[in-house]
Amino acid sequence: MSAHTTIAPPKPNKALTAYRPFWAKRFGPAPFLPMSRAEMDQLGWDSCDIIIVTGDAYVDHASFGMAVIGRTLEAQGFRVGIIAQPDWQSVDPFKALGKPNLFFGVAAGNMDSMINRYTADRKIRSDDAYTPGGQGGKRPDRATLVYTQRCKEAWNEVPIVIGGIEASLRRIAHYDYWSDKVRRSILVDAKADLLVYGNAERAIVEIAHRLARREPIESLTDVRGTAFMRRTDDPSSHEWFQLDSTSVDTPGRIDDLISPYQTIEETAADQGASCSSASGDKPAADAPKPITIHRPAKITLPPRDKTVIRLPAYEQVKSDPVLYAHANRVLHLETNPGNARALVQRHGERDLWINPPPIPLSTAEMDHVFDLPYARAPHPSYADANGSHEGETKIPAWEMIRFSVNIMRGCFGGCTFCSITEHEGRIIQSRSEDSVIREIEEMRDKVKGFTGVVSDLGGPTANMYRIGCKSPEIEAACRKPSCVYPGICPNLNTNHDPLIKMYRRARALRGVKKILIGSGLRYDLAIQSPEYVKELVTHHVGGYLKIAPEHTEGGPLSKMMKPGIGTYDKFKKMFEQASEEAGKKQYLIPYFIAAHPGTSDEDMMNLAVWLKKNGFRADQVQTFYPSPMATATAMYHSNKNPLKKVTHDSETVDIVRGDRRRRLHKAFLRYHDANNWPLLREALKTMGRADLIGNGKHHLIPSFQPVTDGSYESARRKNSTPTGVKTSVAKPLAKQAVRTPPLKGQILTQHTGLPPRDTGSRPPRPAVRKAKPGR
C-alpha cells in the first residue's frame, strides 16, 4: 500500500437505487447477458464493463448467483458479460469477450466446487446439477483459484473481484476436509484484488461505481462485506484500535488477593506503613493515612467502526487446532451487521482484513433485485436441436427451481453444520407480497411448460418470511448465534400471518392450480402458529412434507443447535390432525444426519431404535460433510466446542473419524438394509447390546443373514449402487411393506407405503427373486 492510502472504516450503507446510472445504461437491458462476441455485436457493445466468470451454466433466473449479480449491475448501467463453465485448460475462453473495462467477477457457482464434485466420503460425483445434461467434470476443483489464475493470464492489469459461496466460506484461514489441513484464505491463494462475501449486491454495486470513477482497486478498503490484503507494517493500520485475540491462555492483569483473615495493621505493615490509632484523636501530620483499596476503572473501548480484532495468524491456527476453534468462535461472534467489528489475520508478511458484514437489503431493495428482467430460462446456447431445454441439455438445478419463487433470504436458525447463516446472514430479508405475486403472474404468463403448479414458495427456510426481532435496538446489539436455540428467543416475532396472507392470495390467482412448499420447514417455529400449520397442511403439501429433526439424542442435537425430538413430536401431532381434518393422507419425511460431531455410537443406536419403533426406513442418508468455516467443521478439526469459550482444557467433542466408524453411523440409519447387518451385529455385541439382535419385532436387526452383494437400490435411481445381479432381500421386504397397511401414526416413506412421486423417469428394473436364503 502506498503511504497515501488509508484503511478507512466501512461507510454507512447506500440504497441500491440511489446511485447515478453509468452512461452505458442507454443500451438498455439485454434479453440474456451476452456469452459471445456475436451477442455483444447484436447489442451494439464494443466491450464489456464487467465480465462474470462462473462455474455454473448460465441460467437467467433469480436463484442463480451470476444472473442476480449480472442483472443488478446491468440495472446500474453497466455492460455485463458472462463466461460460464469455461474450459480452464486454456486461457483462450477467458478472452472470448475481450478485456473488461472495470473488472472480472469470479465465482465457483452456487455451490463450493469441492462439495459439488465430491461426496461426504470423498468420492467423485458422477453428475453436476448445474451443468447441461447433469454432466460432471465441467468445472475444476477449487474453481475460484483456477478461474482467477486464467483471468490474470488473459489480462493481468484488470482487477479481479472474487465472490460466491466458495469465496464467502473460505474468506479466512479454514479447515479443508478434502486435503485434511488448514488452508490459507482463498484471497491469498487466488491472488485476487478483493473478496466479496455474503449477499453481494450492495458491495458489488459500490465497487463497480467507484472503479468507474477511476478509483484504484487498492483504495477500496471501506466496503462492508469485503476482504482485502495489506502488509503487516502498513502505517494506515495504526489508526485502528486492535483487540488482541491471538491466544486463548493469556491471563489478564493479576491483582494481589486480600486475605479476609488479615487485620488492617497487618495489611498496612505489608505495605511498609502503620495503621492510625482507632481512637478519635486527630492523627499526627506524619501519621500514615488509612489504606484505601482502588478498584480498576472500567475500560472504555473506542467506537466499533475503528476497532479491529486480531485473530491468531494462519501459521498459528494451522498448527494448533485449539487456536483454530478459538478463531472460528470469534469469527461467528462478529457476524451481526449491527455490531460486528473488523477482523484481521496475519498470513506470512501480509494481513488479511475482513470488513464487517453487509447491511441486509431492505424490502424495497429486495423487490428491486427480484423484479429485474430475468428471462427465467437457460441461455439459448444450451438448447438442443429443437431449441428446447427439455432433453439431453436439461439443467437439473434449473428444472428444480423452474416453477418456484424465492420470497426471502437468510436464516436465524444457526445450525452449526449449515452454510446458509454463514453466507446469507441471520437477519431475514423479505420481499413484499406484491413483488412475489408479480413474479408468480409473470411465471404463469411467460414461462414455457407452466401447468398451474408452483413447485415452491419459500427460500432457505419455508416459514421465516417477515419473522425477526421485535426490537431493532436489541437486534443490532445481539451476539447470539441462533434465535431459536436452545429455545425460541422471547424477543423473536413468530407471527406467521403475513405468510398465511400471501399463501391465500397466491393460490387465488387465475391460472394457479396448486402451490406447494418445497423448502425445508422450521417446525419449531411452525408450532407457534397452529393457523399456519392448518393452512400449510390443508392447501400446500403435495402428499408429503420434508422436515429435518436431524437426530433424537441430546448430545448431537446440542452440537447442531437443533431442538429436541419432543418438538418434532408436537409438530407431527399437529400435522396429522390437520391432515385428518382436511380429509387427506399426507406424510412427514424427516431427515437425519449421521456422524455429526458430538454423536456417539450409542446415540446412533438409539436413533436406529427410534426409527424402527416408529416404522421409518430412511431412503436417503445424509452423512456429516465438513464444509469450510462451519462451526461443526471447527469441532471436527479441533475436537473442541466453539459454541462455548475455547481453551486447551475446555470441553472435548466426540468426533466421528475414519471410514469404518462413519460407515457404522450410516449403517444405523439404514438398519433395514441387509448389507449393513454384519457390521451392526459386530457393533452391537461390542457395545453390550446383543439384546437388539434377533428375529422378533422388538429387535433392531435379525440374527440370520441373507445372501447380499453390497448393492443398494434407492427410490432415486442415481443414488442406487448396483454391483451386478440383485440378490439383496431389501427390495422384496420393501414391497412387502407396501402391501401391508401401515400402523396408525407410522412415518411413511417409499419403503413403508408412501406413494412414490411420478417424476417421469424410467421405472426401476424389477428385482430378481432368489430362493429364500437359509439361516
Side-chain angles (χ1 to χ4, degrees):
M1 176 190 287
S2 67
H4 303 289
T5 305
T6 59
I7 302 176
K11 297 179 179 178
N13 67 295
K14 184 176 180 179
L16 292 180
T17 54
Y19 290 87
R20 182 180 179 181
F22 191 59
W23 68 267
K25 191 175 179 65
R26 66 187 66 175
F27 287 101
F32 284 87
L33 301 178
M35 292 179 61
S36 66
R37 291 305 295 258
E39 293 175 78
M40 292 171 58
D41 292 340
Q42 290 177 358
L43 295 170
W45 298 3
D46 61 344
S47 61
C48 289
D49 300 310
I50 299 158
I51 294 177
I52 297 175
V53 182
T54 175
D56 292 340
Y58 171 33
V59 179
D60 200 51
H61 189 283
S63 293
F64 287 75
M66 89 292 286
V68 172
I69 296 301
R71 289 296 188 183
T72 299
L73 288 169
E74 180 189 58
Q76 299 291 325
F78 299 103
R79 294 166 294 179
V80 183
I82 300 285
I83 299 178
Q85 296 188 323
D87 179 5
W88 67 93
Q89 305 295 340
S90 167
V91 72
D92 294 338
F94 295 81
K95 295 182 176 181
L97 301 182
K99 179 182 175 181
N101 301 320
L102 298 180
F103 66 91
F104 274 112
V106 175
N110 273 15
M111 291 179 65
D112 182 280
S113 61
M114 300 300 286
I115 295 177
N116 180 278
R117 182 62 168 156
Y118 298 93
T119 69
D121 297 324
R122 297 189 179 97
K123 297 179 180 178
I124 295 179
R125 301 183 194 272
S126 60
D127 59 346
D128 184 343
Y130 293 90
T131 302
Q135 183 180 355
K138 285 293 185 178
R139 76 186 82 207
D141 291 353
R142 312 189 192 284
T144 302
L145 303 183
V146 178
Y147 292 159
T148 303
Q149 177 185 350
R150 289 304 191 195
C151 289
K152 283 288 185 185
E153 292 178 18
W155 315 102
N156 186 50
E157 67 278 16
V158 175
I160 297 179
V161 180
I162 59 175
I165 194 166
E166 179 167 282
S168 186
L169 299 186
R170 297 173 181 269
R171 61 184 180 264
I172 200 166
H174 55 280
Y175 172 73
D176 184 77
Y177 175 62
W178 303 271
S179 58
D180 193 24
K181 67 178 183 181
V182 175
R183 292 180 62 96
R184 299 182 297 184
S185 164
I186 194 171
L187 184 59
V188 178
D189 288 338
K191 296 180 175 60
D193 296 283
L194 208 58
L195 181 152
V196 178
Y197 70 88
N199 294 316
E201 291 94 344
R202 198 181 299 286
I204 205 70
V205 166
E206 180 178 351
I207 291 168
H209 280 288
R210 291 175 66 175
L211 290 177
R213 294 198 298 264
R214 297 295 185 263
E215 293 185 36
I217 188 75
E218 296 83 4
S219 68
L220 305 187
T221 62
D222 57 351
V223 182
R224 295 187 69 114
T226 64
F228 55 92
M229 300 299 300
R230 291 293 179 262
R231 294 192 63 83
T232 57
D233 57 354
D234 194 287
S236 62
S237 62
H238 299 161
E239 303 172 6
W240 291 70
F241 178 80
Q242 285 198 18
L243 292 178
D244 191 341
S245 190
T246 58
S247 175
V248 295
D249 295 324
T250 301
R253 185 179 64 189
I254 300 178
D255 294 320
D256 292 335
L257 297 177
I258 299 177
S259 171
Y261 304 105
Q262 192 172 22
T263 65
I264 295 179
E265 291 81 358
E266 291 171 336
T267 304
D270 290 342
Q271 298 183 5
S274 62
C275 185
S276 61
S277 172
S279 65
D281 297 339
K282 185 178 180 179
D286 58 347
K289 297 179 180 180
I291 299 171
T292 303
I293 300 176
H294 296 279
R295 300 190 179 277
K298 184 178 180 181
I299 299 176
T300 302
L301 296 177
R304 285 179 176 267
D305 61 356
K306 290 294 291 183
T307 302
V308 61
I309 299 177
R310 180 166 288 279
L311 300 175
Y314 160 71
E315 291 77 10
Q316 291 177 282
V317 298
K318 179 182 179 181
S319 58
D320 189 342
V322 176
L323 284 179
Y324 178 87
H326 165 70
N328 182 272
R329 172 175 169 80
V330 175
L331 173 72
H332 283 83
L333 287 174
E334 300 296 331
T335 55
N336 183 347
N339 61 17
R341 290 164 288 200
L343 302 173
V344 62
Q345 184 179 52
R346 182 170 58 82
H347 285 64
E349 297 299 319
R350 295 194 299 165
D351 279 338
L352 166 73
W353 284 71
I354 303 178
N355 282 325
I359 300 296
L361 299 183
S362 66
T363 296
E365 289 173 316
M366 285 285 286
D367 289 354
H368 167 73
V369 169
F370 282 88
D371 288 348
L372 294 172
Y374 302 101
R376 297 188 66 91
H379 190 273
S381 63
Y382 302 125
D384 57 21
N386 299 320
S388 171
H389 299 283
E390 303 295 333
E392 295 182 355
T393 62
K394 180 187 294 184
I395 301 172
W398 168 70
E399 183 67 20
M400 185 182 303
I401 54 87
R402 183 179 180 183
F403 303 118
S404 68
V405 177
N406 194 331
I407 63 175
M408 46 76 69
R409 283 181 183 171
C411 178
F412 49 72
C415 299
T416 61
F417 54 84
C418 182
S419 301
I420 295 174
T421 303
E422 295 165 345
H423 182 57
E424 296 191 6
R426 64 187 179 99
I427 296 177
I428 302 303
Q429 303 161 73
S430 301
R431 300 169 62 183
S432 70
E433 181 182 300
D434 289 343
S435 175
V436 173
I437 296 300
R438 282 197 301 271
E439 183 172 349
I440 296 175
E441 291 176 330
E442 182 178 355
M443 182 171 62
R444 174 198 64 192
D445 298 337
K446 298 181 180 179
V447 178
K448 181 180 179 181
F450 182 69
T451 61
V453 178
V454 178
S455 62
D456 187 23
L457 203 61
T461 304
N463 60 322
M464 286 188 181
Y465 179 75
R466 296 239 177 141
I467 291 181
C469 193
K470 297 175 182 177
S471 166
E473 293 77 17
I474 293 176
E475 181 179 68
C478 183
R479 291 167 65 84
K480 290 178 61 177
S482 172
C483 300
V484 290
Y485 183 85
I488 295 178
C489 177
N491 295 312
L492 185 68
N493 164 35
T494 59
N495 183 13
H496 285 63
D497 290 349
L499 190 55
I500 295 172
K501 183 173 178 288
M502 181 190 292
Y503 285 176
R504 291 172 178 171
R505 182 179 172 188
R507 68 172 183 263
L509 291 174
R510 176 185 56 82
V512 174
K513 301 176 183 177
K514 183 79 173 179
I515 294 178
L516 300 173
I517 304 303
S519 302
L521 185 78
R522 191 78 195 198
Y523 56 87
D524 51 351
L525 281 177
I527 62 176
Q528 304 297 315
S529 175
E531 183 182 2
Y532 171 75
V533 175
K534 184 175 181 180
E535 187 81 12
L536 173 76
V537 174
T538 304
H539 301 285
H540 302 287
V541 176
Y544 55 94
L545 179 70
K546 60 183 180 182
I547 56 175
E550 305 296 2
H551 218 284
T552 59
E553 305 305 295
L557 288 174
S558 67
K559 302 302 183 293
M560 301 175 188
M561 290 207 300
K562 293 285 288 187
I565 198 66
T567 306
Y568 163 80
D569 292 333
K570 292 179 183 177
F571 178 76
K572 178 175 178 290
K573 184 177 180 180
M574 296 173 67
F575 179 88
E576 291 173 344
Q577 181 180 347
S579 294
E580 184 177 353
E581 291 175 355
K584 296 183 176 182
K585 292 184 178 180
Q586 300 181 140
Y587 313 103
L588 287 178
I589 302 297
Y591 284 73
F592 298 92
I593 189 170
H596 191 278
T599 308
S600 66
D601 298 348
E602 289 74 15
D603 289 332
M604 292 306 301
M605 176 193 69
N606 292 335
L607 173 56
V609 171
W610 184 91
L611 291 173
K612 181 162 188 180
K613 180 181 177 181
N614 287 274
F616 178 64
R617 295 182 175 185
D619 177 51
Q620 299 177 48
V621 175
Q622 179 184 6
T623 308
F624 170 65
Y625 204 150
S627 59
M629 211 180 83
T631 299
T633 302
M635 295 181 193
Y636 178 88
H637 173 59
S638 67
N639 288 84
K640 293 295 181 179
N641 182 7
L643 298 176
K644 302 177 181 179
K645 183 177 180 180
V646 176
T647 68
H648 286 91
D649 298 324
S650 61
E651 177 188 0
T652 300
V653 180
D654 182 14
I655 303 300
V656 185
R657 290 193 180 90
D659 292 341
R660 179 174 177 81
R661 196 172 177 212
R662 286 173 70 88
R663 281 200 309 269
L664 173 62
H665 282 216
K666 191 173 180 179
F668 270 121
L669 279 182
R670 287 189 53 79
Y671 67 91
H672 53 280
D673 188 342
N675 294 293
N676 294 325
W677 292 347
L679 178 61
L680 292 177
R681 286 193 201 94
E682 180 183 350
L684 290 173
K685 291 175 183 178
T686 302
M687 296 163 64
R689 293 305 307 270
D691 58 299
L692 293 176
I693 304 172
N695 303 323
K697 292 183 178 180
H698 63 284
H699 294 113
L700 181 63
I701 57 174
S703 55
F704 68 90
Q705 179 63 38
V707 177
T708 61
D709 63 358
S711 60
Y712 160 52
E713 184 166 346
S714 166
R716 296 178 67 195
R717 292 181 61 249
K718 71 175 185 178
N719 285 349
S720 301
T721 54
T723 59
V725 179
K726 185 94 172 169
T727 57
S728 171
V729 298
K731 193 64 180 180
L733 283 177
K735 290 184 176 180
Q736 182 180 359
V738 173
R739 292 194 301 265
T740 304
L743 300 175
K744 184 177 181 180
Q746 184 181 31
I747 305 174
L748 303 180
T749 71
Q750 281 87 348
H751 287 294
T752 60
L754 180 68
R757 280 182 173 178
D758 181 9
T759 62
S761 60
R762 293 180 297 174
R765 293 176 297 176
V768 178
R769 287 189 176 272
K770 293 290 183 180
K772 186 175 181 180
R775 297 189 180 183

